Amino acid sequence: MTQTAPGTPPRADDGQRRFASLDPRTGEVVAHHPVHGAAEVRAAVAAGRAAAAFWAGLGFDGRRRRLDAWRRLLVRRLPEFQALISAETGKSADDARTELALVVDHLRWAARQAPRVLGRRRVRSGLLMYNHAASLEYRPLGVVGVIGPWNYPAFTPMGSIAYALAAGNTVVFKPSEHTPGVGVFLAGTFAEVVPEHPVLQAVTGFGETGAALCAAGVDKLAFTGSTATGRAVMAACAATLTPVLLECGGKDALIVAEDADVAAAARGAVWGGLFNAGQTCAGVERVYAADAVYDEFVRLVADKARALRPGGDPDADFGPITTPEQVEVIRSHVADALERGGRAVVGGAESVRPPYVGPVVLVDVPEDAAAATEETFGPVLVVTRVADADEAVRRANALPYGLGAAVFSRDRGEELAARLRCGMVSVNSVLAYASVPGLPFGGVGDSGFGRVHGEDGLREFTYAHAVARKRFKALLDPMTYERGSRTIKRVLRLVRVLHGR
Ligand code: NDP
């Protein structure tokens, strides 16, 4: 599953269909990659299965050494990796560097914490089973299929890949058709530190290649992408009872309470909503600002957002919209909001200049407009005036999505955070949870289920294996046909003493 040189024709001499990944800033071809069909995907999964015993057999220490070596290699080749991410997504060098900093931090955490979180440990056997020793460990599933999006082509799939590998699985990764080179780079660098077997492989192509991975007999499928595709992936995996992890879209809210540091909230909203051109699953899309601070907040947000400029040059604040389809979604959300009485205090319909979209800040948008309810995935902030933080919580919880959220409040941050129906909350900052490797990342409702990162993220790629070992004969043993009625009476007496009062 290798990368071919730029300029390769769509169908090469070997009969392999190929496709081009393009630089969204210029439309130039970055590289051509094979379109892997169902047979090739099945072959990759079979090779991964053959490699699984080797990788699991290295144990936690052996795997940690290899994963540490991979991390160091990725850091050494960071400029090359950053340039590739920027070329395939158009994102600025600094946005790509930020993404990679998080990748290596998570890789280190997963490799180091795996033995503590997953290794066999004793469990208290309880008073009724005092004559048994109980223990538990979390074992690798085998081969994990990973399907990733284009917006964070390294960070989002590595949330699954790093944790699945640290847990002892092999991985077959299908990157987005817009960022295949990133997948090939990850698999290629990994093969430099683990040359013996194909422990991490990349298969490239379009949606059909992803669908083939769902049907190829992997032991778990970890999907990150839109909610619509997540539904299709889950339906496909149901046919083979393949378990799924779904990291889907969001419409994350930021709450500005009456007692917020308004300047900090404005800084957070502008960065959380606009960095990476707003193409962030857990980016800020909706803001609910309490009446008492609304005017000042909107003024500060507008001043900051107006100063930002998209572009493909090194001085630009953020890059282009990576896919032409996404530009149309943004265009339609902005147009619909303006037609329905919304006002643009920064930018407007004219901000959409493909492949770039300038900052847009909308106010007075009707509650049921697409810009307020559906994922826009662009540099667009919808700011809504609410009576107070309590109304903000109610509005934030009103959508089927539930990925992340942010709360700005001097005194009520944790209390408001606890009332939000979503997977992660930052208090007085934005997206902070994504940078804490020990915290699980994932959503509820239409944002999916299952977790990457943290202890939950390691266990996600394992199954629990429990053992209860009898150490000596018990005085009372109700689990045998020799027990007699007196044994049961005595056990019940004990149960009454232990639990009846
Ligand atoms: P898509 O859902 O369009 O695609 C995601 C992946 O699924 C791609 O690799 C795609 O391949 C593949 N795919 C497409 N069709 C199928 C199919 N039938 N079976 C299996 N795989 C398929 O998402 P985007 O790439 O557009 O990414 C943006 C979305 O991802 C946003 O909604 C965003 O919120 C979400 N996201 C969620 C995150 C989270 O952690 N919750 C993090 C980052 C993004 P191809 O590209 O080749 O068509």
Side-chain angles (χ1 to χ4, degrees), residues 223-232 234 245-252 281 286 373-375 397-404 421-423 442-451:
F223 168 82
T224 308
S226 64
T227 303
T229 311
R231 286 199 172 93
M234 190 168 168
L245 157 68
L246 298 183
E247 296 287 347
C248 300
K251 186 74 184 171
D252 288 7
C281 53
R286 307 177 278 159
T373 58
E374 294 169 21
E375 192 175 45
N397 285 341
L399 295 187
Y401 287 119
L403 191 54
R421 173 190 163 272
C422 60
V444 295
D446 281 5
S447 294
F449 50 80
R451 292 294 181 265

Side-chain angles (χ1 to χ4, degrees), residues 179-271:
T179 54
V182 174
V184 171
F185 186 89
L186 285 170
T189 48
F190 187 85
E192 288 182 34
V193 298
V194 184
E196 300 95 325
H197 294 278
V199 169
L200 170 62
Q201 302 169 81
V203 290
T204 52
F206 302 99
E208 299 78 53
T209 307
L213 186 55
C214 297
V218 290
D219 298 292
K220 183 150 193 169
L221 197 291
F223 168 82
T224 308
S226 64
T227 303
T229 311
R231 286 199 172 93
V233 163
M234 190 168 168
C237 287
T240 47
L241 223 59
T242 302
V244 289
L245 157 68
L246 298 183
E247 296 287 347
C248 300
K251 186 74 184 171
D252 288 7
L254 182 150
I255 292 174
V256 192
E258 302 82 331
D259 66 341
D261 176 339
V262 181
R267 270 196 306 277
V270 171
W271 191 77

Side-chain angles (χ1 to χ4, degrees), residues 323-335:
T323 74
E325 300 80 25
Q326 202 57 45
V327 174
E328 292 316 311
V329 173
I330 299 165
R331 191 198 299 277
S332 74
H333 283 195
V334 173

Side-chain angles (χ1 to χ4, degrees), residues 388-401:
D388 50 28
D390 296 316
E391 185 188 349
V393 168
R394 189 177 58 71
R395 296 266 203 122
N397 285 341
L399 295 187
Y401 287 119

Side-chain angles (χ1 to χ4, degrees), residues 22 27 91 104 116 160 162 181-182 259 264 301 319 334 347 367 381 396 401 414 422 433 438 452 483 492:
L22 305 176
K91 70 173 68 178
V104 294
R116 176 183 64 79
S160 296
V182 174
D259 66 341
V301 164
V334 173
E367 200 173 346
L381 276 175
Y401 287 119
E414 303 234 352
C422 60
Y433 45 77
V452 295
R483 62 194 175 188
L492 277 181

